[in-house]
């Protein structure tokens, strides 16, 4: 593609409580060396840390950065307000805790042109720094943790149901009405579903990679995946045809573990020995986690490997409980 033909690009970043990662995330965007014009729109929510201060200093240093407020703090609202303020017709989504790899935007624009897709994206390359974060990152990338999702594990280039983050054509977003602000989570998957339903193409390319900084504690992982399970159920409620074995596995596992444990306890209490077999469910699950973690995390430092079974259990059970409990009330735009 000749240099004179490189289209201008807007990078839109929804940001909330990203004191730890924001400077790195923005820096990796500005260092992309994209051949065309580039702007960065930071949609800042009401953060409880130094996020707004850091964003302000970044904007003072580089005229390409624009800050817009997102009073709700919700990701889809941030994306929509950021897109509304963006100048250009190619829109790159980047999160405040993600780091683009070198050449990401250049290659994404090439893939967008080559594929004719409405949205292109690649691999969510989870990477931790502490032992717990390393275990979480490994779980993200492994079949034991999040299953066989292409954008977690990689794969061949081609059409996809969804991709990580995404590089969009503005026309596609306008065609489907942008991000659904009632989808406080899973909004990217739901948006890509609507794009596909209107005849659009979502394209995965292994050439595109974004470093993802995972949660740093089990409690944060539990909260994240509980909400993920709740919103995955909401997606399936709205679009029943999207239900799959991968998304239903965690709630089925939670039910199996609960039923097995209860039967085992009843067996011990009543002396009905065959009910003790119920304990095989949690025992089998524990052994799966231990041996599976040893295989999937064999390259990890021993401290991170120790956390791996606990991280996977936290992901599975939190997701499953969130799915089973669901949302307390129908979500509304805020």
């Amino acid at each position: 593609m000749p240099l004179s033909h490189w289209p201008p690009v807007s990078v839109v970043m929804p940001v909330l409580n990203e004191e730890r990662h924001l400077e790195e995330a923005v820096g990796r965007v500005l260092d992309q060396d994209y051949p065309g014009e580039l702007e960065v729109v930071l949609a800042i929510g009401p953060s409880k840390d130094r996020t707004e201060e850091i964003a302000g200093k970044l904007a003072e240093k580089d005229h390409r950065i624009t800050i817009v407020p997102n009073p709700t703090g919700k990701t889809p609202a941030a994306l929509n307000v950021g897109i509304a303020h963006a100048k250009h017709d190619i829109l790159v989504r980047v999160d405040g805790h993600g780091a683009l790899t070198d050449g990401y935007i250049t290659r994404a624009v090439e893939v967008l042109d080559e594929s004719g897709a409405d949205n292109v994206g690649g691999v969510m390359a989870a990477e931790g720094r502490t032992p717990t974060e390393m275990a979480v990152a490994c779980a993200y990338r492994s079949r034991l943790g999040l299953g066989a999702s292409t954008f977690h594990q990689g794969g061949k280039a081609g059409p996809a149901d969804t991709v990580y983050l995404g590089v969009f054509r503005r026309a596609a977003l306008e065609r489907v009405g942008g991000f659904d602000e009632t989808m406080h989570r899973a909004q990217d998957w739901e948006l890509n579903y609507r794009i596909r339903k209107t005849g659009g193409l979502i394209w995965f390319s292994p050439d595109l990679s974004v470093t993802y900084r995972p949660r740093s504690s089990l409690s944060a992982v539990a909260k994240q995946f509980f909400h993920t399970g709740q919103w995955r159920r909401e997606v399936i409620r709205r679009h029943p045809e999207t239900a799959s074995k991968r998304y239903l596995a965690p709630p089925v596992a939670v039910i199996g573990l609960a039923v097995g444990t209860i039967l085992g306890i009843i067996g011990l209490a009543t002396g009905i020995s065959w009910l003790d077999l119920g304990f095989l469910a949690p025992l089998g699950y524990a052994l799966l986690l231990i041996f599976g973690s040893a295989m999937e995390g064999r390259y990890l430092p021993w401290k991170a490997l120790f956390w791996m079974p606990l991280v996977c259990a936290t992901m599975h059970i939190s997701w499953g409980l969130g799915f089973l409990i669901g949302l307390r009330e129908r979500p509304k735009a805020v």
Side-chain angles (χ1 to χ4, degrees):
M1 184 183 295
L3 180 61
S4 61
H5 291 170
W6 287 94
V9 166
S10 296
V11 176
V12 178
M13 300 180 65
V15 180
L16 179 71
N17 296 323
E18 292 291 357
E19 174 186 55
R20 185 179 177 193
H21 302 300
L22 182 60
E23 188 168 0
E24 178 192 22
V26 173
R28 294 299 289 271
V29 172
L30 298 177
D31 291 342
Q32 282 287 294
D33 198 25
Y34 177 67
E37 182 181 349
L38 181 144
E39 70 164 347
V40 181
V41 181
L42 303 179
I44 307 291
S47 300
K48 298 178 181 179
D49 57 13
R50 295 178 54 249
T51 293
E52 294 184 46
E53 176 188 342
I54 293 170
K57 290 181 179 179
L58 291 171
E60 288 177 3
K61 293 179 181 178
D62 198 304
H63 70 278
R64 292 173 293 176
I65 300 174
T66 300
I67 297 175
V68 296
N70 172 35
T72 71
K74 302 300 183 183
T75 299
L79 290 166
N80 283 340
V81 73
I83 290 166
H85 281 80
K87 301 175 184 176
H88 306 310
D89 290 334
I90 293 182
L91 301 156
V92 180
R93 176 182 172 179
V94 179
D95 284 345
H97 48 268
L100 300 186
T101 51
D102 293 341
Y104 175 92
I105 295 177
T106 299
R107 182 57 187 145
V109 171
E110 289 178 334
V111 173
L112 202 64
D113 181 68
E114 294 165 1
S115 65
D118 287 316
N119 179 23
V120 302
V123 179
M124 176 184 176
E127 184 178 302
R129 290 164 171 156
T130 68
T132 306
E133 290 174 358
M134 290 179 188
V136 176
C138 182
Y140 265 100
R141 299 190 300 265
S142 72
R143 291 179 179 272
L144 182 66
L146 291 186
S149 172
T150 302
F151 73 73
H152 287 299
Q153 294 189 326
K156 294 182 179 180
D161 289 342
T162 191
V163 290
Y164 182 53
L165 300 180
V167 178
F168 299 86
R169 300 182 192 273
R170 183 185 292 273
L173 296 178
E174 291 177 346
R175 186 176 73 238
V176 299
F179 287 88
D180 185 341
E181 295 189 16
T182 67
M183 291 294 301
H184 300 168
R185 295 199 180 218
Q187 64 280 149
D188 48 354
W189 199 102
E190 196 274 342
L191 173 72
N192 285 319
Y193 174 79
R194 285 186 284 122
I195 290 175
R196 290 188 288 109
K197 291 291 284 185
T198 58
L201 176 65
I202 311 299
W203 190 268
F204 170 82
S205 173
D207 296 341
L208 305 175
S209 180
V210 180
T211 301
Y212 170 81
R213 301 301 184 191
R215 302 299 194 272
S216 57
S217 68
L218 282 184
S219 60
V221 171
K223 182 178 179 180
Q224 177 189 13
F225 276 81
F226 180 81
H227 291 314
T228 298
Q230 287 181 302
W231 285 98
R232 176 52 56 185
R233 177 168 172 174
E234 178 64 15
V235 171
I236 292 175
R237 185 189 70 79
R238 298 186 189 195
H239 309 293
E241 66 276 17
T242 66
S244 69
K245 293 179 181 178
R246 178 169 170 262
Y247 294 128
L248 296 176
V252 170
V254 168
I255 292 172
L257 289 170
V259 170
T261 301
I262 291 170
L263 289 177
I265 292 172
I266 293 174
L268 289 177
T270 62
I272 303 175
S273 59
W274 65 268
L275 291 178
D276 295 346
L277 295 175
F279 285 127
L280 291 176
L283 177 61
Y285 179 66
L287 292 174
L288 172 67
L289 291 179
I290 292 170
F291 288 105
S293 296
M295 291 297 296
E296 296 281 3
R298 57 189 178 277
Y299 60 88
L300 292 173
W302 71 267
K303 289 183 179 180
L305 184 59
F306 167 81
W307 285 105
M308 183 74 173
L310 298 175
V311 164
C312 288
T314 300
M315 287 179 170
H316 299 161
I317 294 172
S318 298
W319 176 310
L321 286 173
F323 188 97
L324 292 171
I325 294 171
L327 298 172
R328 294 181 179 179
E329 57 185 30
R330 293 280 180 89
K332 299 178 181 179
V334 292

